[in-house]
Amino acid sequence: MASRIEELAPPRISAGHGPSADSWRHRVLSRLLGLQTDREVEMELEEQLAAEADLPERVDRNDPQRLALEARLRSLGHRPAAVWNFPVRQPIRKPDWRDRLRAWLGG
């Protein structure tokens, strides 16, 4: 496993396409400002989706009320959910001054 120092070190090969969310400045500023990097946010969302995939359905597929509601939704032009489970989701943090500072200083 790479240490924290190696994760924050500048990349050995630079693409030269300007600042990006994978740049070393972005990673360093994220750590200094106490923010998650874009990669960490994506990994967290993927973990949530993977955990939600294993949740049991709360309403049986053959439940008459569910079938009636799905038929009504289809008649209105909406596609009903494939799986009826209700995961507990974490709120998405709104960007604040730290995000603007990170973007302004080096993307």
Side-chain angles (χ1 to χ4, degrees), residues 54-79:
D54 295 333
L55 288 176
E57 288 195 67
R58 295 213 178 160
V59 181
D60 185 38
R61 289 186 185 271
N62 298 325
D63 184 50
Q65 291 180 344
R66 175 180 174 169
L67 294 173
L69 179 60
E70 287 180 348
R72 173 110 171 102
L73 288 172
R74 285 191 191 95
S75 69
L76 294 173
H78 298 287
R79 187 179 60 149

Side-chain angles (χ1 to χ4, degrees), residues 85-103:
N85 59 18
F86 308 100
V88 177
R89 300 235 170 115
Q90 299 294 328
I92 297 174
R93 189 180 66 78
K94 291 183 179 179
D96 59 0
W97 65 272
R98 297 176 300 171
D99 296 288
R100 290 191 295 273
L101 179 66
R102 178 177 62 182

Side-chain angles (χ1 to χ4, degrees), residues 8 14 23-24 35-36 38-40 42 44 56 60 63-64 69 71-74 85-87 91 99-100 102 105 107:
L8 298 176
S14 175
S23 70
W24 67 274
L35 299 171
Q36 289 181 312
D38 294 342
R39 188 174 300 152
E40 290 172 343
E42 289 173 8
E44 188 176 305
D60 185 38
D63 184 50
L69 179 60
R72 173 110 171 102
L73 288 172
R74 285 191 191 95
N85 59 18
F86 308 100
D99 296 288
R100 290 191 295 273
R102 178 177 62 182
L105 286 176

Side-chain angles (χ1 to χ4, degrees), residues 6-28:
E6 291 171 1
E7 289 177 9
L8 298 176
R12 294 183 180 159
I13 299 173
S14 175
H17 299 296
S20 70
D22 292 332
S23 70
W24 67 274
R25 285 188 295 183
H26 187 273
R27 292 192 305 268
V28 169

